[in-house]
């Protein structure tokens, strides 16, 4: 198993995506997200983000095209948040337990495609 530092370093190497992967909820994600999910066993994170893409959520014009997602982990508990702009939180989900190895990850959802910030 790789260390959090190794995973973070490898994630920085993704600067675009040659392939888009279709999620069962109909949205897509990039090579970098696929790598993150495989290395950290966090397909649940993709499911969590995509599960919030409801008609009611997307009726907000600030969220339709671009969303900022943060997962912060401390003591095996997490907080998943969505922002429409920096520090403009619109959603918060408490995660009682997670073994996600990174203390923080920031992701973008751009036009229904989930990506690492380096892939934007």
């Amino acid at each position: 198993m790789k260390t959090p530092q190794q995973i973070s370093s490898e994630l920085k190497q993704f600067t675009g995506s040659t392939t888009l992967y279709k999620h069962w909820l109909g949205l897509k994600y990039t090579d970098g997200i696929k790598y993150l999910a495989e290395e950290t066993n966090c397909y649940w994170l993709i499911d969590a983000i995509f599960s919030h893409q409801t008609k009611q959520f997307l009726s907000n014009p600030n969220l339709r095209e671009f969303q900022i997602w943060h997962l912060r982990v401390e003591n095996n508990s997490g907080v998943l948040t969505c922002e429409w702009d920096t520090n403009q939180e619109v959603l918060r989900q408490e995660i009682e337990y997670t073994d996600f190895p990174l203390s923080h990850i920031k992701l973008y959802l751009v036009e229904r495609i989930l990506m690492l910030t380096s892939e934007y």
Side-chain angles (χ1 to χ4, degrees):
M1 183 155 195
K2 295 180 181 173
T3 68
Q5 294 79 13
Q6 288 172 314
I7 294 168
S8 291
S9 177
E10 291 172 358
L11 288 174
K12 291 175 186 171
Q13 296 176 26
F14 290 93
T15 57
S17 190
T18 57
T19 305
L20 293 177
Y21 302 90
K22 189 170 183 180
H23 187 268
W24 62 274
L25 287 172
L27 291 92
K28 297 178 181 175
Y29 56 95
T30 62
D31 289 327
I33 296 296
K34 184 174 189 293
Y35 174 85
L36 174 70
E38 289 174 349
E39 287 298 319
T40 64
N41 197 26
C42 75
Y43 282 98
W44 61 267
L45 178 59
I46 300 170
D47 293 345
I49 291 170
F50 287 176
S51 73
H52 290 291
Q53 305 308 307
T54 62
K55 186 175 182 179
Q56 180 182 2
F57 195 72
L58 294 175
S59 67
N60 180 335
N62 295 321
L63 298 172
R64 209 170 294 136
E65 302 297 322
F66 185 81
Q67 300 170 18
I68 304 166
W69 287 87
H70 294 273
L71 175 63
R72 291 180 175 84
V73 176
E74 188 176 326
N75 298 324
N76 292 103
S77 293
V79 177
L80 180 64
T81 58
C82 177
E83 301 173 338
W84 67 268
D85 196 2
T86 304
N87 298 321
Q88 300 295 316
E89 186 177 306
V90 293
L91 182 137
R92 173 177 290 261
Q93 178 180 346
E94 304 289 329
I95 299 168
E96 191 172 323
Y97 174 81
T98 180
D99 59 357
F100 189 75
L102 307 177
S103 61
H104 176 246
I105 187 83
K106 179 180 179 181
L107 307 173
Y108 292 151
L109 185 66
V110 182
E111 297 179 0
R112 302 175 60 87
I113 300 170
L114 187 64
M115 63 187 70
L116 301 173
T117 57
S118 61
E119 293 178 300
Y120 182 61

